[in-house]
Amino acid sequence: MEEYFATSLNKLKTNNYANLTLVIGNESCDLDSAVSSIVYASFLHWQHNRVKCKVCTVSKRDDEVKDDIFISILDVNRDDFALKTEVVFALAEHGIFDKDLIFSDDIDIDKLVCEGNAGVILVDHHTLSKKYEYLAPHVTEIIDHRPLDKTRWVYNEDVRSTIELVGSCCTLIAQRVRDLSKLIGKEIDFFDSHPACTQLLHSAILLDTVNFSKEVGKATSHDEEIVSFLEGLLKVEQCERERIAKVDGLLAARSDVSRLNAAQLLRKDLKIFGYIFVPSFPILVKDFLKKPEAIEAVSEALSSRKCAVALLLGMELQGGLQRDGVIVSADDKLSKSLAKFLHEWSSPSLLLVPDPDIHCFYFKQTNLSASRKQYVPALNEFLNTYKH
């Protein structure tokens, strides 16, 4: 990993490369997204070096021959990386720090892609946010675990896509690495030579599925298969004990938002769908609303992001899974329309129970298996039918 970061980042900064591939995670930059981007870029670097050596040995390569480079992009500003507490924690355990990483505000992606004709790989998402719509013609591969949104599929016909409804995108990354490695007769070589990547994939899958919790209901047989495969490589002896310890540590890191104010929490895990601002919290929304100037922070965030309405989603795992949410907007008509739409949504039903004692548009979510991903089809449909 040290060699990958040092070599690739130096070549990017000095413009010393032949071809560039950017591996971009989604804008929430949660652990699944960050690990998917870092591991897949690291693998492509490793694979490129294995393949090029078949064409020309390192000893005979001209010093002036430029290599291809593969850069992981974490789609968050560098100053906001500290808000991703579980990501910072997990990467630091393996000696990976912000100095090793490239964030979306570190480079001019538009210039690199449009002027340098770079390729783009999307991981842990397959719909482009407005700021990245110009990337569509440059996307060569997509790996995602969300339901397919055909209404925003704007890519070339030859784009390679792996879209499968599993608990964690890292499951698909591990499978893709495994499949590509088989093609060069080295099925486990990357995993063995990059133990940090193997550990991070294992951690991300366990966190996303909450250790295959039936209550959460996100895990699939594919997730379980890949975790068992990774544990075999890592030679884990007490699998269940190791899984519990990992998840507990990551949940503690993610939930430690005691130092974050309301404005920072709104940026910690954020997605924007059209004019709808959708942050997700590792605490219940009702507890967020108790923070000083919480509603004022939401209003300011809506203004700065040019959004009309906020849907705040909360989750608490201590003492059993709980989920809740609230809709906030200066436009009461818009809030009522979105609340009614979500309450009536049935694909799947979110099972929302209003509680006006906390806030006029506050609700408890009794479908505990529905995360923010399950809100996406409803929000997209709302955007198509309710023109603001």
Side-chain angles (χ1 to χ4, degrees), residues 204-273:
I205 298 169
L206 289 176
L207 181 63
D208 252 26
T209 62
V210 195
N211 194 13
F212 306 112
S213 165
K214 287 185 170 54
E215 187 179 31
V216 174
K218 291 176 65 177
T220 68
S221 59
H222 199 174
D223 298 297
E224 294 179 3
E225 175 197 341
I226 291 298
V227 163
S228 295
F229 167 71
L230 296 172
E231 287 173 345
L233 296 173
L234 295 169
K235 296 179 173 55
V236 178
E237 294 182 359
Q238 299 289 334
C239 292
E240 192 54 39
R241 183 182 299 176
E242 175 72 11
R243 292 177 184 183
I244 292 171
K246 270 195 173 183
V247 172
D248 285 351
L250 290 165
L251 287 176
R254 185 170 68 183
S255 301
D256 185 10
V257 295
S258 55
R259 299 180 184 179
L260 304 185
N261 59 33
Q264 289 174 316
L265 262 174
L266 290 169
R267 302 198 308 271
K268 178 174 167 58
D269 186 358
L270 171 66
K271 281 187 173 295
I272 295 175
F273 304 91

Side-chain angles (χ1 to χ4, degrees), residues 296-323:
E296 291 83 352
V298 175
S299 298
E300 186 176 332
L302 287 173
S303 176
S304 65
R305 302 278 183 160
K306 295 181 171 53
C307 292
V309 60
L311 169 63
L312 314 185
L313 299 174
M315 179 179 72
E316 172 64 66
L317 285 165
Q318 302 297 327
L321 177 62
Q322 299 177 68
R323 293 186 185 274

Side-chain angles (χ1 to χ4, degrees), residues 7-273:
T7 303
S8 301
L9 299 189
N10 180 61
K11 288 181 177 179
L12 177 67
K13 290 174 183 176
T14 59
N15 201 33
N16 181 28
Y17 56 85
N19 298 295
L20 169 65
T21 299
L22 302 178
V23 184
I24 304 178
N26 74 44
E27 63 189 349
S28 71
C29 195
D30 60 6
L31 187 64
D32 193 32
S33 180
V35 171
S36 292
S37 175
I38 292 168
V39 170
Y40 201 47
S42 300
F43 167 74
L44 293 173
H45 169 81
W46 175 87
Q47 177 187 240
H48 174 70
N49 280 278
R50 300 288 82 70
V51 172
K52 80 179 182 186
C53 289
K54 290 184 176 181
V55 178
C56 165
T57 63
V58 174
S59 62
K60 292 183 179 179
R61 286 175 63 83
D62 190 319
D63 288 341
E64 295 184 2
V65 173
K66 294 182 178 181
D67 276 328
D68 294 354
I69 60 171
F70 307 86
I71 301 297
S72 163
I73 304 293
L74 302 192
D75 193 16
V76 64
N77 289 345
R78 180 172 287 274
D79 287 346
D80 281 347
F81 181 54
L83 305 181
K84 313 298 179 180
T85 49
E86 76 279 15
V87 182
V88 174
F89 169 79
L91 295 182
E93 280 198 315
H94 300 287
I96 303 171
F97 303 97
D98 55 358
K99 66 179 178 58
D100 302 310
L101 305 170
I102 294 289
F103 300 95
S104 54
D105 62 337
D106 287 338
I107 57 176
D108 188 337
I109 296 177
D110 189 351
K111 183 176 181 180
L112 280 172
V113 171
C114 297
E115 293 185 11
N117 197 31
V120 173
I121 296 174
L122 304 180
V123 295
D124 202 25
H125 68 304
H126 68 269
T127 57
L128 292 167
S129 59
K130 194 164 187 178
K131 67 178 179 178
Y132 287 144
E133 286 178 348
Y134 67 90
L135 292 177
H138 305 278
V139 173
T140 60
E141 183 174 8
I142 296 168
I143 303 175
D144 191 20
H145 65 132
R146 284 162 181 69
L148 177 61
D149 182 359
K150 293 182 179 178
T151 65
R152 298 177 66 189
W153 190 266
V154 291
Y155 308 107
N156 296 327
E157 289 184 3
D158 61 349
V159 67
R160 191 194 187 288
S161 65
T162 302
I163 298 180
E164 181 183 336
L165 299 181
V166 293
S168 170
C169 187
C170 281
T171 292
L172 303 181
I173 295 293
Q175 185 67 62
R176 180 74 172 135
V177 168
R178 192 179 179 184
D179 291 344
L180 289 173
S181 297
K182 282 182 182 178
L183 295 178
I184 57 175
K186 299 178 181 294
E187 181 179 358
I188 64 172
D189 289 37
F190 173 78
F191 297 104
D192 282 345
S193 62
H194 293 68
C197 289
T198 309
Q199 288 279 10
L200 286 168
L201 289 168
H202 185 250
S203 295
I205 298 169
L206 289 176
L207 181 63
D208 252 26
T209 62
V210 195
N211 194 13
F212 306 112
S213 165
K214 287 185 170 54
E215 187 179 31
V216 174
K218 291 176 65 177
T220 68
S221 59
H222 199 174
D223 298 297
E224 294 179 3
E225 175 197 341
I226 291 298
V227 163
S228 295
F229 167 71
L230 296 172
E231 287 173 345
L233 296 173
L234 295 169
K235 296 179 173 55
V236 178
E237 294 182 359
Q238 299 289 334
C239 292
E240 192 54 39
R241 183 182 299 176
E242 175 72 11
R243 292 177 184 183
I244 292 171
K246 270 195 173 183
V247 172
D248 285 351
L250 290 165
L251 287 176
R254 185 170 68 183
S255 301
D256 185 10
V257 295
S258 55
R259 299 180 184 179
L260 304 185
N261 59 33
Q264 289 174 316
L265 262 174
L266 290 169
R267 302 198 308 271
K268 178 174 167 58
D269 186 358
L270 171 66
K271 281 187 173 295
I272 295 175
F273 304 91

